[in-house]
Amino acid sequence: MEKYDVVVIGGGPAGYVAAIRAAQMGFNTLCVDRFKGKDGKYSLGGTCLNVGCIPSKALLDSSKHFDHMNHSYDVHGISFDNPKMDVATMIARKDKIVKQLTGGIAQLFKANKVKYIGGSGKLLKDRQVEINNDEGSQVVQGEHIILASGSVPISIPNVEIDNEYILDNAGALDINAVPEKLGVIGGGVIGLELGSVWNRLGSKVKVFEAMDTFLAACDQGIAKMAARTFKKQGLDIHLSTFVKSATIKDGKVEVVSETNGEKTTEIFDKLLVAVGRKAETDGLLADDCGIKLTERGQIDVNDDCQTSVPNVWAIGDAVRGPMLAHKGSEEGSAVAERIAGQHGHVDFNTVPFVIYTEPELAWVGKTEEQLKEAGIDYKVGSFPMAANGRALAMNEPTGMVKILADAETDELLGAHIFSANAADLLSECVVTMEFKGCAEDLSRIIHAHPTLSEAVFEAAMNVDKRAIHKAN
């Protein structure tokens, strides 16, 4: 039986980062991952690189260019004669990017001397791992085991995914022609992003959202602005609406939904199911391995990502906390460092959230609603992108920056941005919060002019009614 210092089960953003970081510190490391790409071959990167974060951003970028050609470039004096989208080329470009990045991880493994085996890994007792693949079965042992199995889409009753007509996130990335009508169940990150892709290309998109609040996790002032913007873009979003069934009939999808007790039947060319994800533990744990699961089916861990079994750790989507690639990666690094006797650190209070619509939504920390509920006295500063010179020059004036700070100490408590490049603008706010900085710290940093980041600067000044380019 081969023995390793560290065995990682899962090769997504949590697992591959943990494996590389462990190897960097001198541990003999093995990574086992069962994900297979479109070509049927084992492919590192997990859901994120293969059928999630990366391919969706490739399609979002392609569709954005097409949408701008149709609706935005005329103000620049640029005109086009009947622009067309070749969907096959767009999908091929997406696949090329995925292959480049997943192959890049394999090269990083080689460079860092991480051994990689494609196949399914199952944790047995005594920190043994059974590996099964096309070549057969073997058992290895690790001094430490890191479980990074990721997550899978949640299904709903009476809606059976076939990835031809009724799609999950993977199927929605490979639609071969623009559907005339696209239904989307779920108004969260996946639903809004992939709904935006096909809306820009000409689909009539209807979003069914069961909650009565749009983007409930987001600051509601920002969320309401986003809802108005998405409506103008053509996304037909219906709150408090439950899909009761979806049936394939004559090459179409018949969807029965219910809003406030009233049922409606509609026909769509495609239906995307994007109601969330759950921890993936199927086939991961032997009955006698000793690992405990939570009531939600996640692997039970403490604050340091330790499971109920000594020297067995779990990270990423399979455990508590937000299901975000960067959160999983940070946990992977932290656990590898803890194994080495160091003090790996992950602060859930400074995990950034992003929705890559246009404009983007990005936030970190508390919302106004959360601060009010907690009884925390706070100050607010905001700044509209319409008053930002760079945003106007880019023809991207929609949105705003909102800064929340403690009323007494001025410590930055939250930042919420709806704008072009919001994900990148948020980073300085994350840094400020990580160092327990104040809104005044942000407002005392010299920002280059003209830049979008000046909106963050002005919003921070507006916390104390010192903004220059906005009436306080």
Tab-separated table of all heavy atoms in Angstrom, residues 20-43:
chain	number	residue	atom	x	y	z
A	20	ILE	N	-1.374	21.714	-3.789
A	20	ILE	CA	-0.186	22.473	-4.168
A	20	ILE	C	0.478	23.100	-2.941
A	20	ILE	O	1.708	23.047	-2.782
A	20	ILE	CB	-0.546	23.556	-5.202
A	20	ILE	CG1	-0.912	22.904	-6.548
A	20	ILE	CG2	0.605	24.538	-5.380
A	20	ILE	CD1	-1.426	23.873	-7.595
A	21	ARG	N	-0.357	23.685	-2.064
A	21	ARG	CA	0.212	24.327	-0.866
A	21	ARG	C	0.895	23.299	0.030
A	21	ARG	O	1.972	23.567	0.597
A	21	ARG	CB	-0.903	25.049	-0.096
A	21	ARG	CG	-0.370	25.957	1.002
A	21	ARG	CD	0.259	27.199	0.429
A	21	ARG	NE	0.906	27.990	1.476
A	21	ARG	CZ	2.208	27.950	1.749
A	21	ARG	NH1	3.018	27.169	1.051
A	21	ARG	NH2	2.726	28.692	2.710
A	22	ALA	N	0.316	22.106	0.155
A	22	ALA	CA	0.929	21.055	0.970
A	22	ALA	C	2.273	20.629	0.377
A	22	ALA	O	3.270	20.458	1.090
A	22	ALA	CB	-0.011	19.858	1.077
A	23	ALA	N	2.290	20.472	-0.935
A	23	ALA	CA	3.535	20.071	-1.603
A	23	ALA	C	4.603	21.148	-1.474
A	23	ALA	O	5.795	20.842	-1.322
A	23	ALA	CB	3.258	19.766	-3.068
A	24	GLN	N	4.200	22.415	-1.520
A	24	GLN	CA	5.158	23.510	-1.384
A	24	GLN	C	5.881	23.466	-0.045
A	24	GLN	O	7.017	23.936	0.078
A	24	GLN	CB	4.447	24.855	-1.546
A	24	GLN	CG	4.049	25.195	-2.979
A	24	GLN	CD	3.255	26.490	-3.065
A	24	GLN	OE1	2.733	26.989	-2.061
A	24	GLN	NE2	3.146	27.039	-4.262
A	25	MET	N	5.204	22.906	0.967
A	25	MET	CA	5.807	22.831	2.297
A	25	MET	C	6.502	21.499	2.545
A	25	MET	O	6.827	21.162	3.691
A	25	MET	CB	4.735	23.122	3.353
A	25	MET	CG	4.291	24.582	3.314
A	25	MET	SD	3.100	25.019	4.583
A	25	MET	CE	1.671	24.112	4.026
A	26	GLY	N	6.700	20.749	1.475
A	26	GLY	CA	7.519	19.554	1.591
A	26	GLY	C	6.784	18.258	1.837
A	26	GLY	O	7.420	17.208	1.996
A	27	PHE	N	5.463	18.268	1.830
A	27	PHE	CA	4.707	17.038	2.061
A	27	PHE	C	4.580	16.227	0.775
A	27	PHE	O	4.348	16.772	-0.309
A	27	PHE	CB	3.301	17.352	2.596
A	27	PHE	CG	3.305	17.956	3.972
A	27	PHE	CD1	2.782	19.222	4.182
A	27	PHE	CD2	3.829	17.274	5.057
A	27	PHE	CE1	2.780	19.798	5.439
A	27	PHE	CE2	3.828	17.829	6.328
A	27	PHE	CZ	3.304	19.094	6.522
A	28	ASN	N	4.731	14.908	0.906
A	28	ASN	CA	4.486	13.990	-0.201
A	28	ASN	C	2.976	13.922	-0.405
A	28	ASN	O	2.262	13.386	0.442
A	28	ASN	CB	5.066	12.611	0.132
A	28	ASN	CG	4.855	11.609	-0.978
A	28	ASN	OD1	4.649	11.977	-2.136
A	28	ASN	ND2	4.889	10.329	-0.636
A	29	THR	N	2.478	14.489	-1.501
A	29	THR	CA	1.048	14.768	-1.643
A	29	THR	C	0.442	14.075	-2.858
A	29	THR	O	1.023	14.079	-3.945
A	29	THR	CB	0.814	16.290	-1.773
A	29	THR	OG1	1.401	16.953	-0.643
A	29	THR	CG2	-0.663	16.618	-1.834
A	30	LEU	N	-0.745	13.507	-2.647
A	30	LEU	CA	-1.539	12.886	-3.718
A	30	LEU	C	-2.882	13.592	-3.805
A	30	LEU	O	-3.523	13.856	-2.781
A	30	LEU	CB	-1.764	11.399	-3.428
A	30	LEU	CG	-2.804	10.676	-4.304
A	30	LEU	CD1	-2.324	10.556	-5.746
A	30	LEU	CD2	-3.137	9.293	-3.735
A	31	CYS	N	-3.323	13.885	-5.029
A	31	CYS	CA	-4.660	14.433	-5.252
A	31	CYS	C	-5.440	13.465	-6.132
A	31	CYS	O	-4.954	13.052	-7.194
A	31	CYS	CB	-4.586	15.803	-5.909
A	31	CYS	SG	-6.203	16.586	-6.189
A	32	VAL	N	-6.649	13.130	-5.701
A	32	VAL	CA	-7.530	12.225	-6.436
A	32	VAL	C	-8.783	12.999	-6.830
A	32	VAL	O	-9.403	13.646	-5.981
A	32	VAL	CB	-7.921	11.008	-5.568
A	32	VAL	CG1	-8.807	10.058	-6.363
A	32	VAL	CG2	-6.693	10.296	-5.041
A	33	ASP	N	-9.139	12.946	-8.105
A	33	ASP	CA	-10.331	13.675	-8.548
A	33	ASP	C	-11.042	12.898	-9.645
A	33	ASP	O	-10.397	12.379	-10.565
A	33	ASP	CB	-9.967	15.067	-9.054
A	33	ASP	CG	-11.193	15.906	-9.364
A	33	ASP	OD1	-11.942	16.218	-8.428
A	33	ASP	OD2	-11.407	16.233	-10.544
A	34	ARG	N	-12.368	12.850	-9.563
A	34	ARG	CA	-13.131	12.021	-10.498
A	34	ARG	C	-13.828	12.797	-11.609
A	34	ARG	O	-14.500	12.204	-12.457
A	34	ARG	CB	-14.172	11.213	-9.735
A	34	ARG	CG	-15.325	12.026	-9.138
A	34	ARG	CD	-16.258	11.115	-8.373
A	34	ARG	NE	-17.424	11.816	-7.844
A	34	ARG	CZ	-18.360	11.222	-7.090
A	34	ARG	NH1	-18.252	9.942	-6.791
A	34	ARG	NH2	-19.386	11.912	-6.647
A	35	PHE	N	-13.680	14.127	-11.625
A	35	PHE	CA	-14.402	14.908	-12.633
A	35	PHE	C	-13.890	14.577	-14.036
A	35	PHE	O	-12.683	14.501	-14.265
A	35	PHE	CB	-14.248	16.403	-12.382
A	35	PHE	CG	-15.245	17.244	-13.126
A	35	PHE	CD1	-16.392	17.703	-12.507
A	35	PHE	CD2	-15.055	17.562	-14.470
A	35	PHE	CE1	-17.327	18.462	-13.201
A	35	PHE	CE2	-15.971	18.315	-15.166
A	35	PHE	CZ	-17.116	18.760	-14.532
A	36	LYS	N	-14.837	14.402	-14.960
A	36	LYS	CA	-14.481	14.166	-16.352
A	36	LYS	C	-15.023	15.297	-17.221
A	36	LYS	O	-16.143	15.765	-17.032
A	36	LYS	CB	-15.038	12.826	-16.844
A	36	LYS	CG	-14.318	11.616	-16.272
A	36	LYS	CD	-14.802	10.321	-16.924
A	36	LYS	CE	-14.013	9.115	-16.420
A	36	LYS	NZ	-14.441	7.855	-17.082
A	37	GLY	N	-14.209	15.718	-18.177
A	37	GLY	CA	-14.597	16.784	-19.076
A	37	GLY	C	-15.486	16.298	-20.202
A	37	GLY	O	-15.897	15.129	-20.254
A	38	LYS	N	-15.780	17.196	-21.139
A	38	LYS	CA	-16.656	16.866	-22.268
A	38	LYS	C	-16.084	15.756	-23.139
A	38	LYS	O	-16.829	15.027	-23.794
A	38	LYS	CB	-16.895	18.117	-23.118
A	38	LYS	CG	-17.732	19.172	-22.428
A	38	LYS	CD	-17.827	20.441	-23.262
A	38	LYS	CE	-18.602	20.232	-24.536
A	38	LYS	NZ	-18.792	21.508	-25.278
A	39	ASP	N	-14.746	15.614	-23.133
A	39	ASP	CA	-14.110	14.584	-23.945
A	39	ASP	C	-14.049	13.233	-23.245
A	39	ASP	O	-13.484	12.269	-23.778
A	39	ASP	CB	-12.702	15.018	-24.353
A	39	ASP	CG	-11.811	15.313	-23.143
A	39	ASP	OD1	-12.256	15.124	-21.995
A	39	ASP	OD2	-10.659	15.756	-23.356
A	40	GLY	N	-14.635	13.142	-22.048
A	40	GLY	CA	-14.647	11.881	-21.315
A	40	GLY	C	-13.378	11.595	-20.534
A	40	GLY	O	-13.262	10.551	-19.895
A	41	LYS	N	-12.424	12.531	-20.581
A	41	LYS	CA	-11.166	12.339	-19.866
A	41	LYS	C	-11.212	13.068	-18.526
A	41	LYS	O	-11.904	14.059	-18.367
A	41	LYS	CB	-9.997	12.861	-20.709
A	41	LYS	CG	-9.803	12.128	-22.028
A	41	LYS	CD	-8.640	12.722	-22.809
A	41	LYS	CE	-8.446	12.001	-24.136
A	41	LYS	NZ	-7.323	12.580	-24.924
A	42	TYR	N	-10.445	12.529	-17.566
A	42	TYR	CA	-10.378	13.185	-16.267
A	42	TYR	C	-9.820	14.592	-16.413
A	42	TYR	O	-8.865	14.823	-17.157
A	42	TYR	CB	-9.516	12.370	-15.303
A	42	TYR	CG	-10.162	11.067	-14.889
A	42	TYR	CD1	-9.644	9.848	-15.324
A	42	TYR	CD2	-11.283	11.064	-14.073
A	42	TYR	CE1	-10.240	8.649	-14.955
A	42	TYR	CE2	-11.893	9.869	-13.695
A	42	TYR	CZ	-11.362	8.667	-14.148
A	42	TYR	OH	-11.960	7.486	-13.781
A	43	SER	N	-10.448	15.529	-15.696
A	43	SER	CA	-10.105	16.942	-15.857
A	43	SER	C	-10.068	17.624	-14.496
A	43	SER	O	-11.065	17.625	-13.759
A	43	SER	CB	-11.137	17.627	-16.763
A	43	SER	OG	-10.867	18.998	-16.905
